[in-house]
Amino acid sequence: VVALRANRGLFQIDQVDLQTTATKLKATGQFSFGGDSDLDVDLNSSDASELQAVLISSGLLPEVDEQMRSYGIDLGGQLAFNGKVTGRLSNPDLDGQVSLGSLLVNGNDLGSLSAALRMTAAELRIDNGRLTERDGGSMQFTLDAPRSGENNTTFTATLDRVNAGNLIAALPLSKATREQFADTQADASGEIRITGIPNAMSGSADLRFGPGRLAGEPLEALVARATFSGSKVSIENVDARLTAGHIVASGSYDTTSKAFDLQGRAEGVQ
């Protein structure tokens, strides 16, 4: 259903109610192909991958598509957006609430996502972000990504019993490094604060892991701290208590070269 009035290139929408097999779109307000638009939009889809293909991978949002490809991000399940679409339709501003049934990174389902999304010509900003895992673990986060300049994205997160295996799978590690730690299962909690992403980073991460497995080894507990400088992640301290003994380690990881180095000493490991 479409009900609209036109006046000198400006379209006043009394009602738009469109539906495909997977997606419903409702909108009211005004839009113009050449000027400013002001639309209230209610979008619901049962297949987020369909919208990803249409809106992102099709080339309409090349910056977003490039970032999603580089981090191995895919959308799945239910997707909803309720908010305003303003500005030029060729490069609109978005401001509203978004929810997603499944966020997939490198083929791993990290859980459902909800957030306040604001995208303008100047920046992409996510506030009150919450990732909720199927078993109840969660991560609250914010993201501020200017759309001009370089190395100026800021990310902060608070983790509460997040699946450590999913966390490792989501990190921008080399495939070989991810496979090395593939058999990891434990709850991870802590804080992450990083500015200057991706190649002028500054910040820190402090994480605590509960009982489980680390690279296939039975784990009792682990505490880790890392700091960020440029493209280098300095692993300042890893203190792991395994069933087989105690390991203390430190090292580094370069996000550009994917070079990973970890040095450690074992106490009482059998």
Side-chain angles (χ1 to χ4, degrees):
V1 178
V2 177
L4 58 82
R5 292 167 285 132
N7 181 19
R8 297 181 180 180
L10 182 65
F11 296 85
Q12 183 68 40
I13 299 175
D14 298 319
Q15 180 185 9
V16 167
D17 194 343
L18 302 177
Q19 183 171 341
T20 68
T21 302
T23 303
K24 295 180 180 180
L25 171 64
K26 295 182 178 181
T28 59
Q30 67 180 36
F31 80 93
S32 170
F33 291 107
D36 287 339
S37 299
D38 188 353
L39 294 170
D40 291 304
V41 173
D42 186 5
L43 174 69
N44 287 276
S45 176
S46 61
D47 186 1
S49 62
E50 177 185 82
L51 285 181
Q52 180 179 348
V54 172
L55 297 179
I56 299 175
S57 301
S58 64
L60 290 176
L61 298 171
E63 299 170 21
V64 177
D65 184 38
E66 181 181 352
Q67 289 295 317
M68 291 180 69
R69 287 178 182 272
S70 66
Y71 288 102
I73 297 174
D74 288 297
L75 311 181
Q78 299 274 345
L79 185 145
F81 173 79
N82 183 268
K84 296 189 76 66
V85 178
T86 58
R88 293 180 178 270
L89 290 183
S90 59
N91 188 23
D93 294 348
L94 305 178
D95 190 354
Q97 292 292 132
V98 62
S99 62
L100 176 68
S102 295
L103 177 66
L104 298 103
V105 180
N106 297 318
N108 294 271
D109 186 353
L110 303 191
S112 62
L113 177 70
S114 63
L117 171 68
R118 178 172 175 79
M119 185 173 73
T120 67
E123 69 173 352
L124 167 65
R125 182 168 182 83
I126 296 175
D127 287 311
N128 300 318
R130 184 175 182 87
L131 181 68
T132 304
E133 297 180 331
R134 309 304 176 199
D135 61 359
S138 66
M139 178 176 70
Q140 294 180 298
F141 67 95
T142 62
L143 176 73
D144 189 357
R147 300 181 70 185
S148 61
E150 297 179 343
N151 304 317
N152 51 11
T153 295
T154 298
F155 176 77
T156 66
T158 299
L159 286 67
D160 180 21
R161 298 176 292 110
V162 169
N163 185 305
N166 285 343
L167 181 63
I168 292 172
L171 293 175
L173 304 171
S174 67
K175 182 178 179 180
T177 301
R178 287 201 302 269
E179 289 177 348
Q180 183 179 354
F181 289 95
D183 188 12
T184 295
Q185 181 72 42
D187 289 341
S189 300
E191 304 282 339
I192 301 174
R193 299 181 183 277
I194 313 172
T195 62
I197 298 170
N199 295 319
M201 294 188 293
S202 177
S204 63
D206 292 278
L207 300 174
R208 306 175 305 278
F209 297 77
R213 294 190 311 277
L214 177 64
E217 294 293 328
L219 174 69
E220 295 180 355
L222 184 149
V223 177
R225 174 175 172 80
T227 56
F228 301 82
S229 179
S231 63
K232 184 180 179 181
V233 182
S234 296
I235 305 168
E236 295 188 352
N237 179 59
V238 175
D239 191 317
R241 295 192 176 277
L242 306 172
T243 302
H246 182 209
I247 295 177
V248 177
S250 61
S252 64
Y253 175 74
D254 193 289
T255 59
T256 301
S257 68
K258 300 296 190 292
F260 180 67
D261 176 60
L262 190 67
Q263 305 290 328
R265 70 175 189 275
E267 300 174 359
V269 175
Q270 299 178 355

